[in-house]
Amino acid sequence: MNYSEPSCSHRPLRLLLLMGAVLLGVCLQAQNPQAPITMDIRNATLRALVSRLENATDYTFVYGDEVRLIRRIDLKVQKLTIGQVLEQAFSDQPVEFEISGKHIVLRKREMPRKRERRRFTVSGYVTDAASAETLIGANILDSRYAVGTASNAYGFYTLTLPEGEVSLSSSYLGYATRTDRFRLKADTTLNIALNTHNELQEVIVTSEKREASINATNMGAHDIPMTQIRHTPSILGEADVLKTIQLMPGVQAGMEGFAGMYVRGGTPDQNLVMLDGIPVYNADHLLGIFSVFTPEAVKNVTLFKSSFPARYGGRLSSVVDVRTNDGNMNGYHGTLSIGLLTDKFHIEGPIRKERTSFSLSMRVTPSILLPKGIKTTENGSNGKDIDRYNYYFYDINAKVNHKFGDSDRLFLGFYRGKDHYRYDNEFSSTPTLSDITYQKDISQTRLNWGNLIGYTRWNHIFSNQLFSNFTVSYNQYRMSLNETSEDRTDYQGKLYDYHRYRSEFRSGIRDWSLRADFDFTPSTRHHIRFGSEFIHHLFTPGVSTSHIGNINDGSARQDTTYATSSNLPQRGMELSLYGEDNWEATGRFSLNLGIRASLFHTQGKNYLSVQPRISARYDWGKGIATKASYSCMAQYVHLLTATPFSMPTDLWVPITRNIRPMYANQYSVGTYYTDLPGWEFSLEGYYKQMRHILEYQDGVSFFGTSTHWEEKVEMGQGRSYGLELMAQRTIGNTTGWLSYTLAKSERRFPNGSINHGRWFPHKYDRRHSLNLCVNHRFSNRIDVGASWIFYTGGCLTIPERRTAIVKPDGSTEETDYISGRNNYRLPATHRLNLGVNFNKKTKHGMRTWNISLYNAYNAMNPNLVYTQRKQLTNSWVNNGQGGAIQIDSKSRTVIKKLTILPCIPSVTYTYRF
């Protein structure tokens, strides 16, 4: 019997048949309603649950828009059939299902009425785990019910939830997310301590409630992290709060390189700049090149441009709310920084561990160590001329924080900032043998200005739903200008003539205030704030004194003192009441309803103002939202200024019997997109009307005097409108933003005293403004930052030609002809700033070298613009009598610009321990 081997082996065929059987079994199992399913899904929407089940099976779900969940689904199952999975998922949802072949049909069902479960409140403070520093705006989210809240300005949060299992996720920029799971069966105090994250990336939380976020109801607001401020390049490597704010859409600097803020067509005095809730009347150093805020002392910065919360008032254009560090309660930490212009020192730590802490920051220019300043000497044939100059400024921030318990905290805060300018000139003649007379002239100028702020704040928690804050504060801004001149003549070694003149000019404002604020959260849908404030103002617009002393012919003496008070101190009493409710009407629609009522009493007259505020937000889904708002604001103080930059001689004056409060009505609408991970896009439009704004009469200005100031100004109206576009990258090694503003701002004075009653552009009416800011981290050791700005020029009033005027006596006189106010537009300005940080960890801290380049390509932007006459022709002929007659003279107006901030490199050393 012959047997032959097959030409092919049967093993591959058997393997193929086995694989086919397995695949067939899987397919049959997928279509089998009894096939087991294992899955774990958290915080799922209906769409997410359906997608997960369709991917795990061959079933297709069919349902309409009327099928909705009342809360998100948390589901963890093992080896259950599709029917069992759906029964468990929809057990407490208004959804029913039917399996029909390969399709599962979902329908809306009526929910049986159940006994409402009890609700309890979880509340507490959110803090940094290492320092116990409270965190402002931290997000707390319950994943079960997809509701959340955020910590307030003092780190306190409250969240009311149904009884049962809860899962709270807490997150904050630069910190690791923390999750707390527990069974809620009574009101609970839960203090949350977050640990810093190695990667400083923003955690995206869909239920974020922060007032300055895209997801909040309010609009026109920006929350600016301190890391962003520190990494934004600025002049001389000085991180600056207000310079960073100038890069936001809708915010413009006044004069190039300086810190004045013009927000949506407003003026600098229309910005409410606050330090820990206390107004700062002078927020600048060095004519506005730097702000008074030391970055090491600052914890949080928020900017509001519209949709103003009702708790803020007293200004028309913006609110800048700066909050300072409370102090580390667990250990000592600090910063030492040495730069080309300023040196800074910050230290914080516990006085009593976990109970009492302090924070102390100081910034000073090294020139403070030269009390007599820099000396220059010039020797001439007639004598010796000596000049001495000195300028310095300093800031001191101090704070003590004591924790009595979970319900009570006490804060003591102090700020002192001062600028000092000194100039001395001394000339002494050189006597000769033929001249036995000796002469000496001395002139001295001292200019000092600054702020002093002190406050006591008490936080008290009345219940898990009611938080309170009580503040007593003192606030002072003062300026003094002292000038002294002496002329002395000696004859034959004895005093012959002596003349001395001394003058002093002082101005300022002083406030005492008492404020009470309450946060009430009755449910997750309502966040109610209400409170009141009383301020006692004392204005000193201008007080002058002078002293004259003379000695004539060696014997006759005269000594006279003059006290001239051009404006007596004026008092003002201001009382304000406010209330606001942030209401989550539905899952997609939210409202912020607020009202503020204020009463200002001065010179026997009362001014009452009721200011409604409303903002609304609608979520269209897929990361798209729309907002709209209306705000009414009132302002009771004015700033008289004579220069395009911040000067200490600018005068704060109050409203009077004749000068009424300023009012503004602002309407805003915007669209926002956040569905692209790590990106935020916004487009906002606004229209603002202003009434009773002040402007100098034609040909009038102020410089260091407020004499009869009411007679030199006119009240008029203003309007501004524009579009603001912003794209911001918030996650990753490369972050930053691009902003563009298209705006127009105008003024009009109907009585005809200014510009013949016609509309004219505001001085800083800039049509286009573009800001680009980019930060990139190459590693933990090296990071770079760059900012580029471009904006079209503002406006200037210049004479267009010369014209002749015939006087009553028949003579003629040439004078400048000006067709209208702000009739010339300046050229555009652009600038690039660069900065790089080299970081290195040491045994006890972190060492950083910063190298910055301000105005990197040396753009010759105009810091100061002025006009002068340029002579073109000037012809003379002999009159035949030994004299000359001018027969031809032509000239024209020339615009001159002065650039005082060219390309400026800088190096700063910082050590953190």
Side-chain angles (χ1 to χ4, degrees):
M1 182 176 181
N2 297 326
Y3 178 81
S4 61
E5 284 283 328
S7 58
C8 296
S9 172
H10 292 287
R11 290 184 179 179
L13 182 59
R14 293 173 183 174
L15 182 59
L16 185 60
L17 292 173
L18 179 60
M19 293 177 60
V22 171
L23 289 175
L24 180 61
V26 170
C27 293
L28 291 174
Q29 182 185 30
Q31 298 178 12
N32 183 2
Q34 305 303 319
I37 297 174
T38 298
M39 65 185 307
D40 186 358
I41 189 169
R42 298 289 176 184
N43 199 30
T45 62
L46 180 60
R47 177 184 292 183
L49 176 66
V50 167
S51 177
R52 185 76 174 269
L53 290 174
E54 286 182 341
N55 290 333
T57 69
D58 275 353
Y59 287 102
T60 301
F61 284 76
V62 180
Y63 60 96
D65 291 339
E66 74 280 359
V67 180
R68 293 184 179 180
L69 302 179
I70 59 175
R71 67 182 65 88
R72 298 193 180 192
I73 294 175
D74 289 337
L75 189 64
K76 184 176 182 180
V77 297
Q78 290 185 346
K79 296 181 180 181
L80 296 182
T81 64
I82 184 67
Q84 292 172 328
V85 171
L86 293 176
E87 285 179 359
Q88 187 167 334
F90 299 142
S91 61
D92 57 351
Q93 300 281 356
V95 180
E96 62 182 8
F97 67 93
E98 178 184 349
I99 302 176
S100 177
K102 293 184 179 181
H103 302 287
I104 299 178
V105 181
L106 302 182
R107 299 186 183 90
K108 180 181 178 180
R109 71 182 175 99
E110 295 297 328
M111 291 286 291
R113 291 186 174 271
K114 296 183 178 180
R115 183 174 60 88
E116 186 175 350
R117 286 190 290 177
R118 294 181 298 174
R119 302 174 68 86
F120 298 107
T121 300
V122 184
S123 62
Y125 287 91
V126 184
T127 60
D128 182 301
S131 65
E133 181 82 32
T134 56
L135 301 179
I136 301 173
N139 297 289
I140 300 92
L141 170 72
D142 175 58
S143 59
R144 175 70 175 172
Y145 294 93
V147 294
T149 187
S151 56
N152 65 11
Y154 308 100
F156 180 79
Y157 78 95
T158 177
L159 185 62
T160 301
L161 298 168
E163 180 182 14
E165 296 295 329
V166 298
S167 179
L168 294 184
S169 295
S170 307
S171 60
Y172 191 72
L173 176 65
Y175 288 76
T177 301
R178 166 176 159 171
T179 302
D180 294 277
R181 293 187 177 91
F182 56 94
R183 183 170 184 80
L184 184 63
K185 52 187 178 181
D187 288 343
T188 303
T189 298
L190 177 64
N191 293 322
I192 301 171
L194 299 181
N195 294 297
T196 55
H197 201 287
N198 292 330
E199 300 292 329
L200 296 181
Q201 297 182 346
E202 186 176 36
V203 179
I204 304 300
V205 181
T206 57
S207 65
E208 187 175 294
K209 302 289 184 180
R210 298 175 68 178
E211 288 183 305
S213 75
I214 284 181
N215 293 322
T217 308
N218 295 83
M219 63 181 301
H222 300 274
D223 190 75
I224 306 173
M226 285 309 301
T227 53
Q228 183 173 298
I229 294 173
R230 294 190 185 102
H231 289 87
T232 300
S234 188
I235 187 169
L236 293 174
E238 291 280 335
D240 193 272
V241 170
L242 298 186
K243 287 295 182 63
T244 304
I245 290 177
Q246 287 178 357
L247 299 175
M248 298 293 110
V251 183
Q252 298 182 8
M255 194 170 65
E256 159 62 9
F258 292 80
M261 280 182 21
Y262 295 78
V263 181
R264 292 188 170 180
T267 54
D269 64 326
Q270 294 176 6
N271 303 314
L272 179 62
V273 182
M274 308 180 77
L275 180 68
D276 284 334
I278 315 299
V280 179
Y281 286 101
N282 182 66
D284 303 318
H285 286 305
L286 195 56
L287 307 182
I289 294 181
F290 302 108
S291 71
V292 300
F293 303 110
T294 306
E296 287 73 15
V298 176
K299 174 167 61 174
N300 188 81
V301 179
T302 305
L303 167 69
F304 295 93
K305 300 177 298 184
S306 66
S307 184
F308 300 101
R311 62 186 179 277
Y312 297 115
R315 302 293 188 275
L316 300 187
S317 293
S318 75
V319 175
V320 179
D321 192 354
V322 179
R323 300 285 171 169
T324 60
N325 295 316
D326 296 332
N328 194 315
M329 283 197 172
N330 297 324
Y332 295 96
H333 297 277
T335 303
L336 174 65
S337 181
I338 301 174
L340 295 184
L341 183 65
T342 66
D343 299 329
K344 292 172 283 189
F345 176 72
H346 170 75
I347 188 169
E348 59 180 276
I351 298 176
R352 180 183 176 189
K353 203 165 185 179
E354 298 183 355
R355 282 290 181 180
T356 310
S357 65
F358 75 93
S359 176
L360 176 65
S361 298
M362 293 181 287
R363 176 173 64 171
V364 65
T365 53
S367 55
I368 197 174
L369 301 177
L370 303 172
K372 294 186 177 181
I374 299 173
K375 177 181 177 182
T376 62
T377 304
E378 182 179 347
N379 292 308
S381 59
N382 296 326
K384 183 167 63 174
D385 198 350
I386 301 175
D387 289 320
R388 297 179 186 271
Y389 308 86
N390 193 17
Y391 168 80
Y392 65 80
F393 70 82
Y394 66 82
D395 296 293
I396 301 175
N397 290 85
K399 197 173 188 179
V400 175
N401 165 30
H402 179 71
K403 180 181 177 181
F404 293 98
D406 289 334
S407 298
D408 294 279
R409 295 193 179 201
L410 184 69
F411 301 87
L412 301 177
F414 171 83
Y415 168 77
R416 172 62 172 158
K418 180 182 177 182
D419 291 67
H420 172 82
Y421 171 74
R422 168 178 177 166
Y423 170 68
D424 296 339
N425 175 262
E426 179 180 328
F427 173 79
S428 54
S429 64
T430 304
T432 62
L433 293 176
S434 60
D435 184 4
I436 57 176
T437 302
Y438 172 74
Q439 184 175 352
K440 186 175 183 180
D441 299 331
I442 298 175
S443 64
Q444 297 177 337
T445 301
R446 303 287 187 274
L447 181 59
N448 297 277
W449 69 98
N451 302 287
L452 174 64
I453 296 175
Y455 64 86
T456 299
R457 173 174 289 121
W458 172 41
N459 291 168
H460 177 70
I461 301 174
F462 286 97
S463 70
N464 287 342
Q465 296 178 328
L466 182 59
F467 175 90
S468 65
N469 173 68
F470 302 94
T471 305
V472 178
S473 66
Y474 173 78
N475 180 14
Q476 173 185 286
Y477 168 69
R478 184 179 180 185
M479 184 277 293
S480 64
L481 174 62
N482 298 275
E483 293 182 320
T484 302
S485 63
E486 294 183 11
D487 298 330
R488 177 190 179 104
T489 303
D490 290 355
Y491 181 71
Q492 295 182 346
K494 296 182 180 179
L495 178 64
Y496 183 74
D497 281 334
Y498 176 78
H499 304 280
R500 177 183 173 90
Y501 174 77
R502 184 175 70 248
S503 67
E504 180 181 7
F505 178 80
R506 302 187 309 275
S507 71
I509 181 172
R510 187 173 65 199
D511 293 346
W512 283 97
S513 68
L514 176 64
R515 183 181 179 102
D517 301 281
F518 298 88
D519 283 21
F520 179 54
T521 311
S523 70
T524 55
R525 291 186 177 273
H526 291 274
H527 185 184
I528 300 172
R529 291 183 172 98
F530 60 95
S532 63
E533 182 179 25
F534 174 77
I535 305 177
H536 177 273
H537 302 279
L538 180 62
F539 297 88
T540 311
V543 176
S544 300
T545 58
S546 59
H547 175 85
I548 299 176
N550 292 322
I551 298 178
N552 297 316
D553 300 329
S555 58
R557 294 178 178 269
Q558 180 183 1
D559 196 352
T560 307
T561 299
Y562 300 91
T564 60
S565 180
S566 57
N567 288 278
L568 295 174
Q570 182 176 337
R571 299 181 185 274
M573 309 289 183
E574 184 177 355
L575 176 64
S576 301
L577 303 172
Y578 75 88
E580 61 180 280
D581 180 15
N582 196 68
W583 175 34
E584 191 87 16
T586 68
R588 292 180 178 269
F589 182 66
S590 59
L591 277 172
N592 187 288
L593 304 171
I595 190 167
R596 182 181 183 89
S598 59
L599 176 67
F600 195 93
H601 175 81
T602 184
Q603 295 183 341
K605 188 171 182 177
N606 295 322
Y607 291 95
L608 177 64
S609 172
V610 179
Q611 306 155 44
R613 321 274 175 85
I614 181 172
S615 58
R617 179 181 186 271
Y618 188 81
D619 187 351
W620 300 94
K622 296 184 179 180
I624 301 175
T626 300
K627 299 182 186 181
S629 71
Y630 164 75
S631 295
C632 176
M633 305 292 285
Q635 180 169 333
Y636 302 107
V637 294
H638 306 276
L639 183 66
L640 304 182
T641 179
T643 62
F645 43 80
S646 175
M647 285 286 291
T649 50
D650 297 343
L651 302 175
W652 284 100
V653 294
I655 60 174
T656 65
R657 294 189 189 97
N658 304 315
I659 302 297
R660 301 180 62 185
M662 294 187 290
Y663 296 101
N665 294 289
Q666 185 173 175
Y667 309 86
S668 305
V669 64
T671 300
Y672 310 84
Y673 179 72
T674 58
D675 204 38
L676 187 61
W679 287 89
E680 294 180 350
F681 300 90
S682 64
L683 175 64
E684 294 186 1
Y686 67 90
Y687 179 77
K688 182 162 67 174
Q689 299 170 317
M690 293 169 280
R691 292 182 292 131
H692 306 151
I693 58 176
L694 297 186
E695 190 87 12
Y696 311 137
Q697 298 172 358
D698 287 335
V700 175
S701 66
F702 299 92
F703 193 86
T705 177
S706 60
T707 304
H708 308 301
W709 68 270
E710 294 179 67
E711 302 173 4
K712 301 177 182 179
V713 298
E714 293 292 340
M715 289 189 296
Q717 60 193 44
R719 65 186 180 191
S720 61
Y721 44 92
L723 291 173
E724 300 169 0
L725 174 66
M726 185 172 186
Q728 185 172 15
R729 172 72 174 174
T730 58
I731 292 179
N733 289 326
T734 302
T735 59
W737 69 91
L738 173 68
S739 67
Y740 168 74
T741 303
L742 174 66
K744 187 174 184 178
S745 179
E746 297 177 305
R747 302 288 189 267
R748 185 167 76 98
F749 294 82
N751 64 0
S753 61
I754 298 177
N755 203 53
H756 309 293
R758 301 191 302 261
W759 286 102
F760 62 90
H762 183 228
K763 179 168 55 175
Y764 293 104
D765 171 43
R766 293 179 176 135
R767 194 70 68 247
H768 305 280
S769 179
L770 183 68
N771 299 304
L772 174 64
C773 186
V774 178
N775 297 303
H776 180 75
R777 184 176 59 179
F778 291 98
S779 65
N780 290 332
R781 298 192 61 180
I782 301 176
D783 60 84
V784 298
S787 63
W788 184 75
I789 68 164
F790 171 87
Y791 53 81
T792 51
C795 296
L796 181 69
T797 303
I798 63 170
E800 298 168 84
R801 58 182 179 269
R802 302 279 288 180
T803 185
I805 298 177
V806 179
K807 295 183 177 181
D809 60 1
S811 62
T812 61
E813 178 184 355
E814 283 194 349
T815 185
D816 291 330
Y817 171 75
I818 301 174
S819 61
R821 180 166 290 200
N822 295 336
N823 58 347
Y824 179 79
R825 190 166 292 277
L826 297 168
T829 294
H830 50 89
R831 170 174 33 90
L832 173 67
N833 300 337
L834 300 173
V836 58
N837 294 313
F838 298 95
N839 308 302
K840 184 178 180 180
K841 285 188 175 182
T842 64
K843 184 178 180 181
H844 299 289
M846 173 74 75
R847 181 189 70 195
T848 301
W849 283 97
N850 172 270
I851 301 176
S852 296
L853 201 59
Y854 179 85
N855 195 2
Y857 52 79
N858 198 33
M860 302 304 288
N861 298 310
N863 295 109
L864 189 62
V865 178
Y866 59 96
T867 62
Q868 67 179 34
R869 299 296 298 178
K870 181 179 180 180
Q871 197 73 31
L872 299 178
T873 61
N874 194 9
S875 301
W876 300 78
V877 296
N878 195 322
N879 63 359
Q881 300 177 359
I885 299 176
Q886 186 179 28
I887 62 172
D888 184 28
S889 178
K890 294 182 180 180
S891 63
R892 64 184 176 91
T893 301
V894 179
I895 300 175
K896 296 285 187 178
K897 70 175 184 178
L898 178 63
T899 299
I900 59 177
L901 296 175
C903 179
I904 303 176
S906 64
V907 178
T908 303
Y909 172 81
T910 303
Y911 184 72
R912 295 179 175 85
F913 56 91

